[in-house]
Amino acid sequence: MEYDIAAIIQGYAQGYFLMADDSQGLGWYGSRDRTLIPLDERFRYPKSLRRVLNQERFTVAINRDFKSVVAGCANRETTWISPELEKIYWLLYQNGYAFSFETWQGDELAGGILGIAIAGAFIGESMFYRIPEGSKVAMVKLVERLRQNKFVLFDAQMMNPHLERFGAYRINDEEYQALLHKALQSPCSLV
């Protein structure tokens, strides 16, 4: 099956995201409100995580093992990452849009965040961990990287208690579209 990468990126650039439904059918979804991870002083994390970061148990890599991160994100009881969506992520990766931001403990993948970067927007698709704190450390290090590289927006799509602990907040679609427009005018790179 052929995929139109430009059309897929255009969909994300308009504020939509791809998800598979229960029958593995793939569709575009939008949301009346979006969850953002703050890239300013509102970003926070638990003190216990600060200790883990200070111990430097994990190293960080980008795209060292992209396929394993996608597989890790898809490997749950209910997943919206279908085999077809995994193929699309792989194509986006090959075209420089999809990234895995990973934590490693020695040679073992500890956790990671799967996302799509378009100009100054980073759209977090999913995260997972194999070693406790692996994905949390990835979150902190990813925010640091996005700040350094002057990203405008870190879209986490949907709120959950895990993201709330990092200071995630909701904005309405109108605010989101304005911020997304600004982000798309900012030439940024993750690597």
Side-chain angles (χ1 to χ4, degrees), residues 7-157:
I8 291 169
I9 291 305
Q10 189 60 40
Y12 278 97
Q14 289 171 358
Y16 297 100
F17 48 93
L18 283 170
M19 280 175 67
D21 60 25
D22 295 340
S23 59
Q24 301 290 295
L26 208 54
W28 284 103
Y29 293 84
S31 181
R32 279 193 297 273
D33 65 55
R34 282 304 251 275
T35 296
L36 301 185
I37 304 293
L39 296 176
D40 56 20
E41 70 288 340
R42 292 174 291 178
F43 181 74
R44 62 178 191 268
Y45 50 89
K47 280 197 174 73
S48 58
L49 188 54
R50 194 163 289 133
R51 284 193 293 277
V52 173
L53 288 159
N54 290 339
Q55 291 166 352
E56 296 183 352
R57 295 197 322 236
F58 300 105
T59 55
V60 173
I62 296 175
N63 293 344
R64 182 169 152 192
D65 194 349
F66 181 84
K67 283 189 169 174
S68 289
V69 170
V70 174
C73 289
N75 181 19
R76 32 187 90 152
E77 240 172 82
T78 351
T79 184
W80 49 268
I81 300 177
S82 64
E84 185 184 1
L85 192 47
E86 286 190 48
K87 284 187 194 126
I88 290 171
Y89 287 144
W90 179 245
L91 284 171
L92 292 175
Y93 163 78
Q94 290 176 311
N95 284 274
Y97 290 107
F99 294 88
S100 59
F101 198 87
E102 308 155 1
T103 48
W104 291 79
Q105 196 166 55
D107 286 330
E108 192 180 347
L109 180 61
I113 298 172
L114 169 65
I116 294 168
I118 308 169
F122 185 85
I123 301 151
E125 292 285 281
S126 188
M127 60 197 298
F128 86 106
Y129 70 91
R130 289 185 186 151
I131 297 173
E133 314 294 2
S135 62
K136 292 178 190 164
V137 170
M139 174 71 84
V140 173
K141 295 297 187 181
L142 175 56
V143 166
E144 285 175 8
R145 175 64 64 100
L146 295 175
R147 284 174 172 165
Q148 280 167 1
N149 295 5
K150 308 269 189 280
F151 272 73
V152 174
L153 173 71
F154 183 171
D155 178 2
Q157 297 175 349

Side-chain angles (χ1 to χ4, degrees), residues 35 127 156 158-165 168 170:
T35 296
M127 60 197 298
M158 291 180 222
M159 183 64 82
N160 65 42
H162 176 65
L163 296 177
E164 239 170 328
R165 287 196 294 264
R170 286 188 178 96

